[in-house]
Amino acid sequence: MFYIVMKAVKKKWLIAPIIGVLVAVLFFGIHSSLANGIVMSGIVPSGTSANLNSLIGGGDVAYSVTMSAVDTFIGPILTPLLAKLFVGTGVHIAYFPFVWKMLRIVFLPLLTGIIIQSIFPLARIFLKSFAPILSSLALYGIVLGVVSDASDVLYRNSGILLLVGIAVIFQVGAQMVIGFLYGKALRIDKSSCRSLVFEIGICNSALAAVLSNDVFGPLAAVAAILNMVCNLTLGGFVASYMKRTANSRHEGYENSSTVTEVEIS
């Protein structure tokens, strides 16, 4: 399984950046703020909502979580390198401060949670019920912070939002489709293939928004936030469709089994 995970992770870090660059160039040209935000959404690790959608859609949750964990650990290395490669010629990116920023955003909260759980094991039980609310509040805080910074820019460029929305829908949708096709090419089981759809299709758009805002400006962060909205809506729709499809097949199998038993009796 670990070999399949590593193979999928390598392709994820190839597929998502290429699609991000192609969509950015196609819709906004080279080295514009919006293009940089689109690219950033394609070069960050997969988002936690990928695990949730895998669960809803009948995917292999263990496969999804393992891939997300590997993504998270290699993200602080690959994301700055890819940012330097794809947008560094248009915007000066200091590599090590960028790495340190990712470590603070991704690893410090993770390490803090691990330490708290190891020292205070009862805290895990107490905080478990509040974790979804706390994560949602943190997400809303990021969105409000970025949107408030970009309010003037959005007011002057409100007409561009529709085009950005179309671009991110195309970006996320293309990543999901290619993720599914790649899963088929690997000949993995259906549940793992479903998880791969979300692992390749859904990015950590909150991280992309923070990094875009700090490095490229608020307009770039708006593109990442719209990617977040698309992740939640399109990802949820695809997961629900997968669930309905799986239930329909299961019911059809049960009905056919019942008919066969009746005929035999």
Side-chain angles (χ1 to χ4, degrees), residues 26-58:
L26 178 64
F27 282 87
F28 305 109
I30 302 175
H31 301 317
S32 66
S33 295
L34 289 171
N36 291 337
I38 294 289
V39 172
M40 184 59 67
S41 297
I43 60 174
V44 292
S46 58
T48 53
S49 58
N51 307 139
L52 177 61
N53 285 327
S54 294
L55 176 64
I56 295 173

Side-chain angles (χ1 to χ4, degrees), residues 24-210:
V25 172
L26 178 64
F27 282 87
F28 305 109
I30 302 175
H31 301 317
S32 66
S33 295
L34 289 171
N36 291 337
I38 294 289
V39 172
M40 184 59 67
S41 297
I43 60 174
V44 292
S46 58
T48 53
S49 58
N51 307 139
L52 177 61
N53 285 327
S54 294
L55 176 64
I56 295 173
D60 188 336
V61 179
Y63 177 76
S64 177
V65 171
T66 303
M67 189 172 173
S68 295
V70 175
D71 247 8
T72 301
F73 278 103
I74 66 178
I77 300 173
L78 290 182
T79 296
L81 286 175
L82 292 173
K84 194 77 173 177
L85 174 65
F86 292 128
V87 297
T89 55
V91 178
H92 175 69
I93 298 176
Y95 179 78
F96 289 105
F98 196 102
V99 173
W100 172 235
K101 190 182 296 293
M102 282 202 67
L103 289 174
R104 281 186 326 210
I105 296 173
V106 176
F107 274 105
L108 285 185
L110 181 63
L111 185 61
T112 302
I114 293 174
I115 292 174
I116 290 176
Q117 289 190 37
S118 61
I119 297 176
F120 308 103
L122 293 178
R124 179 179 61 182
I125 301 174
F126 176 75
L127 294 175
K128 187 175 181 179
S129 58
F130 297 100
I133 298 175
L134 293 175
S135 61
S136 299
L137 290 176
L139 190 62
Y140 291 143
I142 292 172
V143 173
L144 289 175
V146 172
V147 171
S148 62
D149 288 342
S151 57
D152 293 337
V153 179
L154 287 175
Y155 181 76
R156 295 193 301 269
N157 299 274
S158 58
I160 203 71
L161 290 179
L162 178 60
L163 182 62
V164 180
I166 295 173
V168 297
I169 290 173
F170 186 79
Q171 180 184 17
V172 175
Q175 289 174 190
M176 286 185 174
V177 170
I178 294 178
F180 177 78
L181 295 176
Y182 180 64
K184 289 292 187 181
L186 285 178
R187 295 182 179 178
I188 57 179
D189 58 272
K190 290 182 179 180
S191 60
S192 297
C193 189
R194 291 181 177 188
S195 295
L196 200 57
V197 169
F198 301 112
E199 288 297 327
I200 292 180
I202 293 178
C203 73
N204 190 338
S205 45
L207 174 62
V210 173

